[in-house]
Amino acid sequence: MKRISHNPGRVEWAGENPGIYLKTDPASAQYDTLALFFRVALSSYGRGHAAIVLGAPDEARGWPHVPNLIMTDNQRMMRWIVDGWVTKMPTFIGKAGLGAMTWLDCDAVEKRPGDLKARYSETLRGSGVTLEMIWQDMGPPLPVEVTAENSATKEHEMYSVFLEAKKAEIRINGTALPGQVADRQFFGRTMSTAFLAFSETWVTPANKGAA
């Protein structure tokens, strides 16, 4: 297919969307902890930040009973993204914790990039909760261009720059959630289940309907 400089599709949202998926048993097919961070620079619902954490992905309960929660400073935007994107991502499909997670307001977001190759973190505070997501020992940047049929939603094209992290952890009020980084097949190669995703852009192709 001939590449063109201008994509005729519609940009739905763009920003950053790193994630951390952890297992207590590397051989298991199930994750014990799932987390995604969002720094949305552009969307139909404005800008904002959020972090989704499912520390008990298969339990239909929310915080504080189990660590299933979302922290955000733009709930309208994130309900749209959860419904249109997160619920369709293979790792999150059918997870009872996603529908039952507690929605918390976020008052502050602190990014500490430091030496990007060594350590990167995002800290969210609000509603009596301090949430930290930490990535360590990053690999080289990987440019990614995914067609709609191969994307997580099967509806949108996706463009991003990924950096896999060999180590990662998630802390809620100073307590680390269980699990370690594992390997998975991602974009046709073996990659870590912890990653940074910069300049991530989701586009509805010109021949598709609204998202």
Side-chain angles (χ1 to χ4, degrees):
M1 181 182 296
K2 182 179 179 181
R3 296 171 66 95
I4 59 175
S5 58
H6 170 249
N7 187 321
R10 182 179 68 251
V11 174
E12 299 293 350
W13 63 273
E16 301 173 12
N17 187 205
I20 300 174
Y21 307 154
L22 304 177
K23 295 181 178 183
T24 54
D25 178 2
S28 172
Q30 302 298 319
Y31 294 103
D32 295 280
T33 302
L34 301 171
L36 291 171
F37 175 82
F38 295 83
R39 177 175 283 109
V40 177
L42 179 153
S43 84
S44 299
Y45 295 92
R47 307 175 68 178
H49 306 81
I52 294 172
V53 175
L54 301 183
D58 297 312
E59 292 191 40
R61 294 194 294 167
W63 177 263
H65 306 290
V66 295
N68 291 336
L69 58 90
I70 177 170
M71 298 183 68
T72 181
D73 53 16
N74 187 337
Q75 286 208 18
R76 187 181 181 209
M77 177 192 74
M78 283 310 301
R79 289 185 185 277
W80 174 66
I81 288 178
V82 169
D83 290 344
W85 279 266
V86 181
T87 59
K88 299 175 183 179
M89 294 178 177
T91 310
F92 287 84
I93 287 177
K95 294 301 181 184
L98 188 62
M101 65 184 176
T102 301
W103 288 71
L104 302 175
D105 289 327
C106 175
D107 301 323
V109 180
E110 180 182 359
K111 175 170 63 174
R112 292 185 177 178
D115 178 1
L116 187 58
K117 293 182 179 180
R119 188 182 191 275
Y120 184 95
S121 69
E122 298 281 1
T123 301
L124 295 84
R125 295 184 175 88
S127 304
V129 173
T130 296
L131 170 61
E132 300 171 89
M133 297 178 66
I134 302 164
W135 296 260
Q136 294 178 279
D137 197 2
M138 258 64 74
L142 173 68
V144 173
E145 181 178 354
V146 183
T147 59
E149 59 269 24
N150 293 316
S151 77
T153 66
K154 307 301 181 186
E155 299 174 12
H156 309 91
E157 298 171 351
M158 190 272 284
Y159 308 87
S160 190
V161 177
F162 277 74
L163 295 86
E164 64 175 327
K166 294 182 180 178
K167 298 179 182 178
E169 62 179 314
I170 304 156
R171 300 174 185 165
I172 297 180
N173 292 339
T175 300
L177 297 186
Q180 294 81 40
V181 170
D183 290 331
R184 64 170 173 165
Q185 291 301 305
F186 200 52
F187 301 128
R189 62 173 65 192
T190 301
M191 293 183 65
S192 164
T193 56
F195 54 90
L196 302 179
F198 297 137
S199 303
E200 184 159 302
T201 303
W202 290 85
V203 176
T204 296
N207 61 346
K208 298 283 186 179

